Amino acid sequence: MKGGKQLIRKTLSQERFEVLIQKQKSGEATFRDLTELDEIVNRVPDIRLTILEEMEGKTTDNTPPEEPTIPNQSIHLNLIDKVKLFFDRLLHFNSAALPIV
């Protein structure tokens, strides 16, 4: 009774890492979750290596890395529009959009 699916063996740290990454991507992660995620990355060498490879642009599943998109800079704004845009960005600051370092 063999199934076509291979079993994937994961450690508790790998399972918890995946759960915390999902929470982070959905924006539901608390500070405690992010702290636990940081501890897992620092403690487990396999996960740390995977993260470092992703940061360098390498992927482990042989898919090409995504190319960054450059916003269209052809729109010319006058001074008043630039000031409005600055204050709009300042007032609607979203810390979830910041990259995690």
Side-chain angles (χ1 to χ4, degrees), residues 28-74:
E28 300 171 355
T30 62
F31 181 73
R32 180 174 280 178
D33 293 335
L34 296 175
T35 304
E36 183 181 355
L37 181 63
D38 185 49
E39 289 173 2
I40 290 172
V41 170
N42 289 329
R43 185 179 63 229
V44 182
D46 295 338
I47 294 175
R48 182 176 43 239
L49 182 62
T50 303
I51 297 294
L52 290 174
E53 286 175 353
E54 287 178 6
M55 288 174 61
E56 290 177 1
K58 300 176 185 175
T59 56
T60 57
D61 56 355
N62 295 331
T63 58
E66 297 178 13
E67 293 187 22
T69 57
I70 300 173
N72 189 359
Q73 297 291 336
S74 63

Side-chain angles (χ1 to χ4, degrees), residues 8-9 11-13 16-17 21 28 33-35 38 40 44 47 51 53-54 57 62 77 80 82 84 87:
I8 299 174
R9 299 184 74 175
T11 63
L12 181 63
S13 295
R16 188 66 183 147
F17 174 77
I21 287 293
E28 300 171 355
D33 293 335
L34 296 175
T35 304
D38 185 49
I40 290 172
V44 182
I47 294 175
I51 297 294
E53 286 175 353
E54 287 178 6
N62 295 331
L77 301 174
I80 295 173
K82 288 180 182 180
K84 284 181 184 178
F87 282 110

Side-chain angles (χ1 to χ4, degrees), residues 71-83 85 89:
N72 189 359
Q73 297 291 336
S74 63
I75 300 173
H76 296 286
L77 301 174
N78 62 16
L79 182 62
I80 295 173
D81 289 336
K82 288 180 182 180
V83 171
L85 185 60
R89 288 180 182 164

Side-chain angles (χ1 to χ4, degrees), residues 81-98:
D81 289 336
K82 288 180 182 180
V83 171
K84 284 181 184 178
L85 185 60
F86 171 75
F87 282 110
D88 187 48
R89 288 180 182 164
L90 183 67
L91 295 174
H92 299 301
F93 180 73
N94 184 2
S95 63
L98 293 175

